[in-house]
Amino acid sequence: MMNRMTIKNEVEFSGIGIHTGELVKVRLVPEMEPVKEAPTGVIFVREGVAIPAHITFVSSSRRCVVLSNGGVSVGTVEHLLAALWAFGITDVRIYVEGPEIPIGEGNAMHWVKLLSEAGVRELPYERSLIRIKEPIEVGDEQKGIYAMAEPCDRLCVHYTFKHERPFIGTQSFFGYDLRGLFVNEIAPARTFGFIEEVEELRRAGLGKGGSLDNCLIVFADGYSAPLKFENELVRHKVLDLLGDTVLLGRELIARIEVCMGGHDLHLQLMKRIWKRVIRDEG
Ligand SMILES: [Zn+2]
């Protein structure tokens, strides 16, 4: 898959945002045909403002990834971006009528379905890549909270997530053929939240759209619903990470290892990688 790709047909999806609780419509529009100029990447458009899916437009990564441009924001972009990556789509316009991308069932299955309907189409432009040549690390390996990128022939991920609750324990996931694994092994893994965080979120006025239909709640003694995979939590982390790599604006070719990460740590790594790209390209 060396060329850039867009979707074949325009498609749309409506649903609620997990943080705002608002009903939001998104419409995915292919890169124009015939392509007269070089394609422009993944771009969100809200209220007429174009917001590129790039780390330089990230305004928050605390609970979800929020992109902003000139005071206009779109939140919770990560699961859609992960699905675009899995389908190899590099160029698409995403018109958003609301503050946040719909959460669906808390995973990426609604995007898998939508992108399957849309289909993909190759563009006559070569895909831009970022190849990691030497290891890059952020976080603190001593404390067991870190993310690193090292050379590999493709994007592969080794993710570890631990929690003191014994029924969670240590979960890990290694994926080499992530595009091959995505639909069945990664996309179904749901958003999760610890009950104590859920209460905190509600007090902060967030998580308004969160429910047992779109979020797996972790109680003191178990989960709110049966798990789809025994390591579903870490699989969801991998989903989030894949979406975060898209924010480089080019396809990342690296082995990524993360321990106890989240969007903040993922984006620290992406920013470090992007800095190196800028430096190397002078
Ligand atoms: Zn997520």
Side-chain angles (χ1 to χ4, degrees), residues 79 191 236 240:
H79 305 156
T191 301
H236 188 82
D240 284 340

Side-chain angles (χ1 to χ4, degrees), residues 63 78-79 103 106 190-191 236 239-240 263:
R63 288 285 164 190
E78 55 268 25
H79 305 156
I103 192 70
R190 290 161 292 176
T191 301
H236 188 82
L239 173 64
D240 284 340
H263 292 298

Side-chain angles (χ1 to χ4, degrees), residues 4 31 35 37-43 52-53 90-93 123 249:
R4 300 181 72 102
E31 186 74 38
V35 180
E37 292 165 27
T40 44
V42 176
I43 297 185
T90 50
D91 299 276
V92 63
R93 289 210 161 225
L123 295 167

Side-chain angles (χ1 to χ4, degrees), residues 32-180:
M32 299 292 266
E33 196 174 14
V35 180
K36 293 195 184 75
E37 292 165 27
T40 44
V42 176
I43 297 185
F44 293 90
V45 183
R46 182 178 174 208
E47 294 166 8
V49 177
I51 311 171
H54 194 269
I55 33 172
T56 48
F57 288 86
V58 172
S59 56
S60 168
S61 55
R62 221 176 100 69
R63 288 285 164 190
C64 63
V65 177
V66 182
L67 299 169
S68 305
N69 191 9
V72 180
S73 300
V74 178
T76 323
V77 296
E78 55 268 25
H79 305 156
L80 173 52
L81 292 182
L84 290 174
W85 177 85
F87 279 73
I89 297 162
T90 50
D91 299 276
V92 63
R93 289 210 161 225
I94 304 161
Y95 291 85
V96 188
E97 291 175 22
E100 192 182 7
I101 299 300
I103 192 70
E105 290 175 3
N107 53 24
M109 291 311 282
H110 52 314
W111 303 125
V112 165
K113 191 165 168 277
L114 195 75
L115 295 176
S116 302
E117 281 166 32
V120 295
R121 183 167 62 83
E122 206 172 297
L123 295 167
Y125 290 89
E126 204 172 310
R127 190 171 284 261
S128 325
L129 308 176
I130 295 176
R131 285 187 193 279
I132 297 298
K133 297 188 188 84
E134 51 198 54
I136 300 177
E137 188 175 341
V138 297
D140 189 339
E141 213 170 332
Q142 299 294 317
K143 287 187 186 148
I145 302 171
Y146 65 92
M148 62 182 290
E150 51 183 34
C152 191
D153 64 343
R154 61 172 68 194
L155 179 61
C156 66
V157 172
H158 188 183
Y159 212 119
T160 305
F161 178 77
K162 299 176 198 165
H163 197 273
E164 63 200 4
R165 286 179 195 171
F167 64 90
I168 299 176
T170 300
Q171 300 192 355
S172 68
F173 184 88
F174 175 72
Y176 179 66
D177 177 21
L178 290 168
R179 283 200 166 105

Side-chain angles (χ1 to χ4, degrees), residues 158-216:
H158 188 183
Y159 212 119
T160 305
F161 178 77
K162 299 176 198 165
H163 197 273
E164 63 200 4
R165 286 179 195 171
F167 64 90
I168 299 176
T170 300
Q171 300 192 355
S172 68
F173 184 88
F174 175 72
Y176 179 66
D177 177 21
L178 290 168
R179 283 200 166 105
L181 293 171
F182 189 80
V183 170
N184 293 317
E185 307 290 332
I186 298 166
R190 290 161 292 176
T191 301
F192 63 91
F194 289 85
I195 185 67
E196 54 274 21
E197 289 174 347
V198 172
E199 284 155 6
E200 193 185 301
L201 272 175
R202 287 276 160 86
R203 277 195 296 274
L206 291 168
K208 282 181 192 155
S211 74
L212 295 178
D213 295 328
N214 58 30
C215 188
L216 189 64

